[in-house]
Amino acid sequence: MLRWPSLRRPLDVLFLVACIALTADVLVPEIWGNGKTKDYPLWFWAGQQVLQGKALYPADPAATFEFIYPPLPAILLAIPSWFGKIPLYLCLSLLNAAAWWMTSQLSNAMTGSGRIPGPWVAALPGFATVTFVFDMFDLGQPNLVLLAMMLLGFWWLQNGRPWAGGCMFALATAIKVFPVAVLPYLLWRRRWATAASMIAFVGIFLFLVPAPVRGFERNIAELSTWYRGMVGTSSEKGFGQRGEQNWSWVNQSIIAVTHRLTRPVNYNQDDPAKPPRTMNLIELDFRTANWVVLAVSLLIGLGFVAVLPPASRVTRLSNAEEVAILFCLMTVASPLARQYYFMWLFLPVTVLIHRAVVDPRPAARAATWGMLALAGGLMCLSFPVFSVYLQAIGNNLAATAVLVVGLVWYIKNPPAVNSDITDSRT
């Protein structure tokens, strides 16, 4: 089911045109304008720091970090940075384009239906998430590439290559930490080889790969500084070096929304020029709010475990649905879940679109289209014409919950055994 783009297919041509336009959004300001902004100059800076042997982080973990990722991404950025800004920006744009194509291909191949979808069905998730893709190109963020890595890891896992799958999960984790949330799932499902591979390769990518470039002792010191500054900090002001974003409306993680609902935190704090605004329903202290977050997270985790069918009853359909739920949970479990993080809903949306098209039950198909429309409507509340209050209360988080409800329903209510889409056990 996986294939290359073809100039003979109109939708593939449209995809290529979109990629060219999005790449132009990156390169034109740099070549003919005042220079590309957002995160692109930071990536070039990080690559140059490695090339020149300079520090990636300040000596004091409490100081502000310019670069908030582990050392490995800086090592990878150094390669195209050696050629200059334009080659680096072009390389990142091509990576995003390839990741976009692979995300669509893998998501459509992993729905469990065993069917090659029609071109419009296959393309519909891409249309539904195109604003997130624009953010990936415009901002220069790696979340789309990480999504393709995680999907490829699951594709390899499901096709008898557990060590390769674990390696891909590890690479995504070593670039941006939040994909580590896949590890508890692998352990619960007793994917021992994949879990062992992931743990081993995380160590390799974090400790061994940067060592020849940065030096072993220096890399350890930088990892220690990064960990203390990013992972080991948490207070009422925020966490992970970006306190002004942690409690503001831009963050729709479970942690952030829970704190905004239980504490009188200013959700306008990302912009000091804006008047302070709060939205809490009750008033708790920071410590108690963290206990609420822990309780909510535990309930969600236990609910996910309860929904999972036993290994003897797993089918390709149910496996696709549980992996799609996992992607939803990994998205909202990240401490910082900005708008573009919800690009990771691509797989859940794809799975539900397939169910809405091929499920033999008319009522189920109609209800699934209704759920997809509701989730899409909630996501549209992020457009600038609406108040940021709607994002502060978690419109994308609510959309994710709607998708999860639909996926859970399909796990608990599979098609009849004699249905033409009932598939074999995995």
Side-chain angles (χ1 to χ4, degrees):
M1 297 177 73
L2 304 180
R3 63 178 181 82
W4 293 95
S6 171
L7 295 178
R8 297 181 178 181
R9 296 172 180 251
L11 286 174
D12 290 9
V13 173
L14 180 61
F15 165 80
L16 294 172
V17 170
C19 288
I20 292 171
L22 291 168
T23 302
D25 173 68
V26 177
L27 296 183
V28 169
E30 185 62 36
I31 299 173
W32 290 289
N34 296 322
K36 181 61 180 173
T37 57
K38 311 297 173 60
D39 287 326
Y40 284 95
L42 175 61
W43 306 148
F44 181 72
W45 176 87
Q48 289 297 311
Q49 292 296 103
V50 172
L51 293 171
Q52 298 170 23
K54 296 180 179 179
L56 289 170
Y57 316 104
D60 181 4
T64 301
F65 288 13
E66 294 294 332
F67 186 72
I68 61 175
Y69 299 88
L72 177 67
I75 304 296
L76 299 176
L77 289 166
I79 300 171
S81 294
W82 186 84
F83 298 95
K85 282 188 175 183
I86 294 176
L88 169 65
Y89 298 176
L90 177 61
C91 177
L92 295 176
S93 297
L94 292 176
L95 276 175
N96 270 325
W100 192 14
W101 178 260
M102 288 303 299
T103 293
S104 177
Q105 290 288 292
L106 290 167
S107 294
N108 279 292
M110 291 170 60
T111 62
S113 64
R115 295 182 177 185
I116 300 176
W120 285 101
V121 174
L124 187 55
F127 287 116
T129 57
V130 70
T131 57
F132 300 129
V133 175
F134 171 78
D135 284 343
M136 295 300 100
F137 280 85
D138 186 51
L139 299 173
Q141 276 290 319
N143 289 54
L144 178 54
V145 175
L146 299 180
L147 172 58
M149 289 180 179
M150 297 297 289
L151 288 169
L152 184 59
F154 274 104
W155 176 257
W156 281 339
L157 173 61
Q158 294 169 10
N159 285 275
R161 301 178 63 185
W163 281 88
C167 177
M168 197 55 59
F169 297 152
L171 180 57
T173 300
I175 293 173
K176 201 168 185 176
V177 180
F178 78 94
V180 73
V182 74
L183 183 59
Y185 169 79
L186 296 175
L187 295 174
W188 181 263
R189 275 305 191 188
R190 300 183 181 182
R191 303 285 192 173
W192 306 123
T194 306
S197 171
M198 180 178 176
I199 293 170
F201 276 102
V202 164
I204 291 171
F205 290 135
L206 290 180
F207 294 98
L208 298 184
V209 172
V213 179
R214 303 294 282 173
F216 187 78
E217 292 184 358
R218 184 179 188 182
N219 180 60
I220 294 295
E222 288 189 326
L223 271 175
S224 176
T225 301
W226 170 81
Y227 180 86
R228 286 183 291 162
M230 286 297 301
V231 182
T233 59
S234 179
S235 69
E236 294 186 40
K237 295 181 179 179
F239 48 85
Q241 289 285 322
R242 296 296 184 264
E244 72 280 0
Q245 299 178 8
N246 295 154
W247 311 132
S248 80
W249 61 271
V250 302
N251 186 3
Q252 293 199 44
S253 68
I254 293 174
I255 295 174
V257 173
T258 302
H259 272 269
R260 289 198 294 266
L261 291 173
T262 58
R263 291 200 300 130
V265 294
N266 174 23
Y267 66 81
N268 268 354
Q269 61 185 276
D270 60 302
D271 186 350
K274 296 177 181 177
R277 296 184 66 182
T278 60
M279 51 169 280
N280 55 301
L281 302 177
I282 57 177
E283 187 166 340
L284 303 177
D285 59 36
F286 177 69
R287 181 182 178 86
T288 306
N290 280 335
W291 280 110
V292 174
V293 171
L294 182 61
V296 170
S297 301
L298 182 61
L299 287 174
I300 292 173
L302 291 175
F304 180 45
V305 169
V307 165
L308 297 180
S312 60
R313 296 177 56 192
V314 172
T315 68
R316 290 182 180 176
L317 288 174
S318 71
N319 185 67
E321 289 146 8
E322 75 175 59
V323 172
I325 295 173
L326 177 64
F327 273 69
C328 290
L329 299 185
M330 284 194 290
T331 302
V332 298
S334 173
L336 180 62
R338 300 191 61 164
Q339 172 76 7
Y340 55 81
Y341 274 63
F342 291 87
M343 178 75 234
W344 276 44
L345 299 182
F346 196 107
L347 176 64
V349 168
T350 304
V351 171
L352 286 176
I353 286 176
H354 276 244
R355 300 295 183 269
V357 171
V358 303
D359 193 282
R361 297 162 291 186
R365 293 199 304 271
T368 305
W369 283 121
M371 282 190 161
L372 286 166
L374 176 58
L378 288 168
M379 291 181 192
C380 287
L381 298 178
S382 296
F383 290 141
V385 295
F386 297 104
S387 169
V388 297
Y389 178 80
L390 297 173
Q391 293 187 64
I393 63 175
N395 66 301
N396 283 333
L397 181 61
T400 305
V402 170
L403 297 178
V404 169
V405 168
L407 293 163
V408 168
W409 188 89
Y410 273 102
I411 288 179
K412 293 299 185 181
N413 299 274
V417 174
N418 61 353
S419 166
D420 62 353
I421 70 163
T422 300
D423 57 306
S424 61
R425 305 290 181 187
T426 56

